[in-house]
Every structure is written in structure tokens, then in C-alpha cells.
């Protein structure tokens, strides 16, 4: 049995980042009226989603006035962990649809029929303006962390970085 959460006209949709650099928790937060939800996402998922939303908005044309309030109003308590994220465009509604599906930790033990019926799904229909603002904010949140190594693109740790691209022939980049 799956639980589905639909936000067809969200009042607020953002990414929250909690914790210290290198140990940050990324949370996708959405509110419509009195209903709100927070789910945990990975940094890479946020980066890819932001980039994809940005490309869609660019293809659709310049949006109107962007929402300025992208504050995270949730807490570090999340309802579930996101596994896959899908994005589509509904021409009739002129909305960008973001679908977040729960990570199923028992993937290997179940067949596809069981997977189709399990897990929670969050659907959010964003206006072009909301999608553009979300993409900008999410990109800033991702980039506010540790800078990437210029050789391997892995995050540089303040304590040092053993770059796999140096193959032991150079001192670690820092």
C-alpha cells in the first residue's frame, strides 16, 4: 500500500540544509495551506534537481516575479528518505511536476510488482516562478558546502584530501 501526497498548488517549497559543512542534512520541504511535509534528500539529488529545473524554466521562457521567501520552516525531523526523483511538465496546467519517491531499503528482496505498490510518493506542482526560485536557492545551498577538488571533483575536507587522481605520486590536495 502506498501513501501519496499531492501538493497541486504549494504555498512554499524549498530546500533546507542543517548541520556543519561535511555533515549536512538536506531536506525538501513543501507546504500547502495547513499541510506540510519534509523529506530527506541527498546533496547530489538536490544538485541534479536544481540543474534540471533551471533548464526546464529556461526552455519554457522567462518566468514572472520570483518568490523571495525560500526560508526553511521545517525541522530536522523528516517523514521519509527520497530514493528517486522525477520531473515532468504539464502543459495544460503550465506547471512543472516534481515527483519524489521513497527509498525502498528492501529493493533486492522484492519483485517489481511489490515495489509498484509500496513506498510513499510526494507530488509537487510548481509554477515556473517557484521552480526558478527553487533552482536558484537549491544551487546556492549545494555550493555553500565544501569546494570540489579540481582534479577528482570529490569534496575537499579541511583536514586534507587524498585525491584518487594523484595515484599516490603527489601530496594530497588541501
Amino acid at each position: 500500500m502506498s501513501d501519496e501526497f499531492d501538493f497541486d498548488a504549494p504555498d512554499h517549497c524549498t530546500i533546507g540544509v542543517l548541520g556543519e559543512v561535511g555533515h549536512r542534512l538536506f531536506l525538501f520541504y513543501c507546504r500547502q495551506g495547513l499541510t506540510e511535509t519534509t523529506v530527506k534528500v541527498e546533496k547530489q539529488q538536490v544538485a541534479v534537481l536544481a540543474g534540471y529545473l533551471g533548464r526546464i524554466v529556461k526552455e519554457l521562457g522567462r518566468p514572472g516575479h520570483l518568490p523571495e521567501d525560500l526560508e526553511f520552516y521545517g525541522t530536522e525531523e523528516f517523514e521519509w528518505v527520497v530514493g528517486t526523483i522525477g520531473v515532468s511538465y504539464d502543459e495544460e496546467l503550465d506547471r512543472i511536476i516534481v515527483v519524489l519517491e521513497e527509498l525502498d531499503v528492501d529493493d533486492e528482496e522484492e519483485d517489481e510488482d511489490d515495489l509498484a505498490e509500496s513506498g510513499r510518493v510526494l507530488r509537487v506542482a510548481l509554477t515556473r516562478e517557484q521552480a526558478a526560485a527553487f533552482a536558484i536557492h537549491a544551487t546556492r545551498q549545494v555550493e555553500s558546502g565544501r569546494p570540489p577538488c579540481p582534479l577528482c571533483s570529490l569534496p575537499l575536507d579541511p583536514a586534507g584530501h587524498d585525491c584518487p587522481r594523484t595515484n599516490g605520486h603527489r601530496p594530497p590536495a588541501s
Side-chain angles (χ1 to χ4, degrees):
M1 177 129 169
S2 70
D3 293 325
E4 297 188 10
F5 305 90
D6 287 309
F7 290 82
D8 56 354
D11 304 316
H12 193 74
C13 186
T14 192
I15 288 292
V17 180
L18 305 174
E20 298 295 320
V21 172
H23 302 286
R24 298 187 301 165
L25 175 65
F26 285 80
L27 300 167
F28 184 98
Y29 172 81
C30 194
R31 181 187 71 233
Q32 181 172 314
L34 298 175
T35 305
E36 63 182 11
T37 192
T38 303
V39 293
K40 180 182 181 253
V41 289
E42 295 295 326
K43 177 182 174 181
Q44 284 304 110
Q45 290 174 309
V46 173
V48 171
L49 177 60
Y52 195 71
L53 288 176
R55 286 191 300 276
I56 289 176
V57 169
K58 185 177 179 181
E59 288 176 15
L60 293 174
R62 186 174 179 89
H65 179 72
L66 302 185
E68 295 177 19
D69 180 17
L70 292 167
E71 191 72 30
F72 177 68
Y73 295 113
T75 66
E76 65 183 54
E77 299 295 319
F78 52 89
E79 295 182 39
W80 41 274
V81 178
V82 172
T84 59
I85 300 176
V87 179
S88 64
Y89 176 66
D90 186 323
E91 286 184 52
E92 187 176 314
L93 297 174
D94 190 27
R95 297 276 180 147
I96 299 166
I97 313 298
V98 179
V99 179
L100 300 100
E101 297 177 347
E102 182 177 22
L103 177 66
D104 189 353
V105 293
D106 298 326
D107 276 352
E108 298 166 8
E109 298 174 13
E110 299 180 21
D111 62 28
E112 283 190 35
D113 292 334
D114 291 338
L115 285 176
E117 296 179 14
S118 67
R120 292 173 275 196
V121 176
L122 169 61
R123 276 185 209 79
V124 182
L126 300 172
T127 64
R128 293 181 196 198
E129 293 78 12
Q130 287 173 316
F134 181 95
I136 292 166
H137 177 70
T139 299
R140 286 180 181 152
Q141 293 287 27
V142 168
E143 291 176 351
S144 69
R146 297 177 290 174
C149 171
L151 298 176
C152 69
S153 297
L154 291 173
L156 290 173
D157 194 313
H161 170 69
D162 293 323
C163 180
R165 300 270 321 264
T166 62
N167 204 21
H169 297 290
R170 290 189 206 142
S174 56

